[in-house]
């Protein structure tokens, strides 16, 4: 199949999922055309049957806000015709699903049928998508898509609860390449960051308010009252980075935290982690927690959204009420202090990643779904 994929190229879960999906589909002999505003950050090489098409946004003196959605639509039309796309798969509803549906309609007028699959990821449904300035367009784009998927049962239900949706939604969970994400021997790296054998807590996010990064620091501060031999590694960057640094200074723990910024080889950092922390306000899936699990890292996460579908309470990690810093602190302390518990959960976390979320189990679900959507679309047009 020739598949167009549109996603945000920046540091974030939906872009990671879209890029890893495209790379894996290419290994399965599909031809993949990424259409995005810049090279997706996990797409380090473009080769063979993977193509990248950059969307150029025209500035014009009249435009205070250059209309990216329209430039994207035009690019989708152009690539569909010239590459002969069989399906266009867009990640994150705003504005990608809208552009895709418009592109499909333009192409239909020229006698070209291009089925559109939209994958809903998170705040496109749970937060910003519900804003009145977007909600009618999001609803229309979901209803007009030929196929819609959501990354968790929770997100599927949220979509039905908050939008007037009359289309089906298939749940296809996020996935992980467990041959890339596994616990590696990174003793030199560990030695460099933790010269005295300190234990390591890791948090990875794009530092948006929804990720509660200041609470990560508060929890770390609490943990250090009983475990002075712990370091915190913060990976990623975003609007909350500076307030989080400020919080670390206020609490006097700044020197035991490393802000590592945006990093690609996440699996190397996770390979020296003892606990992964995700106290998010809202989370439809929690891909970063899955990456940690694949590297044998037990997770302590918020009991919210799609996280209970990923993290099994007291088996692969712990689920704590949102905002309950004390509960998070206690759970992290337990994992750092009880070796048997840690060993058991580390193995259970890896097993769950491999058994349920391995890339080779999940990507075929997308392949089957594309075929189904194609069949339905051609049945409707004949
Ligand atoms: O950052 C992104 O690319 C999207 C982001 C969001 O806020 O929508 O992440 C969501 O999609 C990820 C991939 O499916 C999920 O793992 C995240 O849980 C989800 N984020 C939230 O729900 C906050």
């Amino acid at each position: 199949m020739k598949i167009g994929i549109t996603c945000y190229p920046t540091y974030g879960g939906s872009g990671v999922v879209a890029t890893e999906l495209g790379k894996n589909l290419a290994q399965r002999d599909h031809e993949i055309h990424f259409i995005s505003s810049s090279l997706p950050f996990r797409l380090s090489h473009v080769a063979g049957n993977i193509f990248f098409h950059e969307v150029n946004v025209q500035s014009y003196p009249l435009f205070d806000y250059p209309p990216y959605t329209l430039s994207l639509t035009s690019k989708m039309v152009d690539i569909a015709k010239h590459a002969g796309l069989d399906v266009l798969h867009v990640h994150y509803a705003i504005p990608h699903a809208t552009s895709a549906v418009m592109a499909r309609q333009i192409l239909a007028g020229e006698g070209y049928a291009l089925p559109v699959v939209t994958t809903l990821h998170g705040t496109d449904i749970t937060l910003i998508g519900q804003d009145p300035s977007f909600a009618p367009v999001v609803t229309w784009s979901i209803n007009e898509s030929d196929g819609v998927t959501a990354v968790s049962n929770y997100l599927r239900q949220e979509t039905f609860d908050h939008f007037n949706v009359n289309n089906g939604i298939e749940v296809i969970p996020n996935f992980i390449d467990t041959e890339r994400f596994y616990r590696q021997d990174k003793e030199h790296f560990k030695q460099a960051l933790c010269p005295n054998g300190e234990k390591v807590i890791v948090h990875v996010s794009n530092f948006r308010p929804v990720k509660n990064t200041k609470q990560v620091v508060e929890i770390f501060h609490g943990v250090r009252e009983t475990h002075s031999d712990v370091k915190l590694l913060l990976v990623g960057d975003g609007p909350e980075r500076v307030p989080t640094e400020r919080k670390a200074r206020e609490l006097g723990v700044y020197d035991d935290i490393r802000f590592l910024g945006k990093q690609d080889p996440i699996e190397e950092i996770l390979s020296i982690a003892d606990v992964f922390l995700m106290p998010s306000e809202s989370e439809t899936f929690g891909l970063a927690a899955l990456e940690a699990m694949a590297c044998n890292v037990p997770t302590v996460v918020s009991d919210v959204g799609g996280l209970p579908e990923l993290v099994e309470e007291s088996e692969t990690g712990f689920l704590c009420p949102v905002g309950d810093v004390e509960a998070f602190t206690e759970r992290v302390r337990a994992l750092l202090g009880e070796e048997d518990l840690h060993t058991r959960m580390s193995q259970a976390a890896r097993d769950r990643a491999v058994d349920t979320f391995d890339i080779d189990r999940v990507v075929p679900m997308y392949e089957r779904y594309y075929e189904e959507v194609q069949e339905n679309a051609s049945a409707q047009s004949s």
Side-chain angles (χ1 to χ4, degrees):
M1 260 188 197
K2 293 184 178 181
I3 303 162
I5 293 184
T6 289
C7 63
Y8 281 107
T10 44
Y11 204 76
S14 59
V16 170
V17 171
T19 310
E20 298 297 344
L21 173 63
K23 290 195 302 193
N24 193 269
L25 286 167
Q27 282 172 18
R28 293 167 190 272
D29 288 336
H30 298 285
E31 185 176 299
I32 305 301
H33 292 263
F34 285 97
I35 305 169
S36 187
S37 57
S38 60
L39 194 72
F41 88 102
R42 284 254 180 116
L43 191 65
S44 45
H45 66 285
V46 175
N49 50 353
I50 300 182
F51 301 83
F52 168 63
H53 309 276
E54 185 165 317
V55 180
N56 309 109
V57 183
Q58 288 298 322
S59 60
Y60 187 69
L62 209 57
F63 298 157
D64 279 345
Y65 308 101
Y68 173 72
T69 306
L70 302 186
S71 303
L72 174 61
T73 305
S74 298
K75 191 58 133 186
M76 287 168 163
V77 170
D78 183 57
I79 302 306
K81 284 199 289 199
H82 290 105
L85 295 184
D86 297 305
V87 65
L88 178 57
H89 186 180
V90 295
H91 294 258
Y92 205 88
I94 308 168
H96 301 152
T98 313
S99 290
V101 170
M102 290 196 293
R104 186 196 60 196
Q105 289 183 208
I106 293 168
L107 288 161
E110 299 177 20
Y112 188 116
L114 179 67
V116 167
V117 172
T118 294
T119 290
L120 307 171
H121 276 275
T123 50
D124 46 350
I125 296 301
T126 57
L127 208 67
I128 186 69
Q130 292 178 26
D131 189 275
S133 64
F134 287 116
V137 182
V138 171
T139 308
W140 178 79
S141 308
I142 292 172
N143 285 335
E144 285 296 316
S145 295
D146 299 277
V148 183
T149 76
V151 298
S152 62
N153 290 306
Y154 164 80
L155 181 58
R156 177 179 185 274
Q157 194 52 50
E158 278 289 287
T159 311
F160 286 125
D161 289 350
H162 295 282
F163 298 85
N164 192 8
V165 169
N166 54 32
N167 209 346
I169 301 179
E170 181 92 359
V171 175
I172 302 184
N174 286 333
F175 52 82
I176 186 81
D177 180 351
T178 55
E179 285 178 14
R180 172 182 163 187
F181 283 82
Y182 64 94
R183 200 165 186 91
Q184 307 166 13
D185 180 4
K186 289 285 157 196
E187 256 326 294
H188 291 302
F189 179 46
K190 164 102 188 183
Q191 185 66 30
L193 289 182
C194 309
N196 303 312
E198 294 93 335
K199 294 203 170 163
V200 176
I201 300 171
V202 172
H203 169 81
V204 181
S205 76
N206 43 20
F207 282 65
R208 284 173 302 159
V210 73
K211 300 291 178 181
N212 272 341
T213 51
K214 291 197 290 291
Q215 268 176 29
V216 173
V217 170
E218 287 170 19
I219 295 161
F220 177 63
H221 174 252
V223 169
R224 281 183 53 90
E225 283 171 9
T226 51
H227 293 74
S228 53
D229 56 340
V230 190
K231 299 263 184 200
L232 173 63
L233 304 184
L234 293 174
V235 183
D237 212 332
E240 284 292 293
R241 160 109 181 230
V242 171
T244 304
E245 286 181 345
R246 205 175 299 132
K247 174 63 75 181
R249 287 200 185 89
E250 253 170 54
L251 294 176
V253 290
Y254 186 85
D255 289 344
D256 291 298
I257 300 178
R258 290 292 292 267
F259 287 83
L260 297 175
K262 295 177 185 174
Q263 296 282 337
D264 187 27
I266 299 284
E267 66 277 22
E268 297 182 11
I269 297 165
L270 291 169
S271 288
I272 67 163
D274 295 288
V275 176
F276 183 85
L277 202 46
M278 182 181 258
S280 304
E281 188 77 29
S282 153
E283 204 69 62
T284 58
F285 183 88
L287 183 65
L290 176 58
E291 292 180 340
M293 288 164 66
C295 295
N296 289 73
V297 187
T299 58
V300 184
V301 305
S302 295
D303 188 4
V304 74
L307 283 169
E309 295 173 46
L310 172 65
V311 176
E312 292 172 307
E313 167 61 22
S314 303
E315 293 294 328
T316 63
F318 291 112
L319 294 155
C320 302
V322 176
D324 190 340
V325 171
E326 262 182 44
F328 273 92
T329 307
E330 279 313 311
R331 295 311 201 186
V332 175
R333 281 180 181 154
L335 279 165
L336 294 177
E338 298 172 36
E339 208 180 316
D340 288 353
L341 176 77
H342 189 272
T343 306
R344 176 170 67 76
M345 283 198 173
S346 300
Q347 192 52 50
R350 168 76 190 174
D351 290 347
R352 181 152 172 79
V354 172
D355 295 345
T356 310
F357 298 104
D358 187 82
I359 193 165
D360 289 329
R361 287 176 62 92
V362 178
V363 172
M365 295 183 195
Y366 278 111
E367 284 179 299
R368 283 194 290 274
Y369 192 63
Y370 296 153
E371 281 163 18
E372 194 183 310
V373 164
Q374 257 195 329
E375 279 164 23
N376 290 344
S378 54
Q380 271 170 18
S381 65
S382 61

